[in-house]
Amino acid sequence: MTLPLRKKQWIYLRDGMGYKTVAKKLGIEPSVVRRWVEHYQAEGMTGLEEKRGKAKGPGIGRPRINSEDPETKIKRLEAENALLKKLLQM
C-alpha cells in the first residue's frame, strides 16, 4: 500500500468510517487497515512508511555470503551446463 493510500485511510477513519468500509472503499482487506492502524498507534506517521528491505544499521539484515572465486564459479557453471545439456538429450 502506498503512503498516500495509507494517509487516505486515516481521513476515512477520522470521518467515522469503520475498518470494513474503509477497506472496501480502498480495495484492500480489512486486516490491512487494522494492521496500519496498529502501526500508526505505535509509531505515528512513521509507522505508515514502508519498512521492507531497509536494514537499520551494520550487521542487520540478511548476512552477506562470500562469493566464490571466478575460476571456481566458471567450473561450477560449466558442469551445470553439461548436466543440463545431458538432461535435454534424454
Side-chain angles (χ1 to χ4, degrees), residues 13-68:
L13 289 171
R14 185 188 64 208
D15 290 344
M17 289 185 185
Y19 290 0
K20 288 181 182 178
T21 308
V22 171
K24 190 173 183 178
K25 192 157 183 87
L26 297 177
I28 57 176
E29 293 293 318
S31 61
V32 174
V33 175
R34 204 169 294 110
R35 184 175 351 127
W36 287 113
V37 168
E38 291 170 5
H39 285 286
Y40 179 80
Q41 289 172 341
E43 304 172 40
M45 286 306 282
T46 57
L48 299 179
E49 294 173 3
E50 185 65 51
K51 293 183 180 71
R52 290 182 288 184
K54 294 183 181 178
K56 298 209 185 235
I60 296 176
R62 182 183 296 180
R64 294 180 183 214
I65 58 170
N66 294 333
S67 60
E68 56 191 332

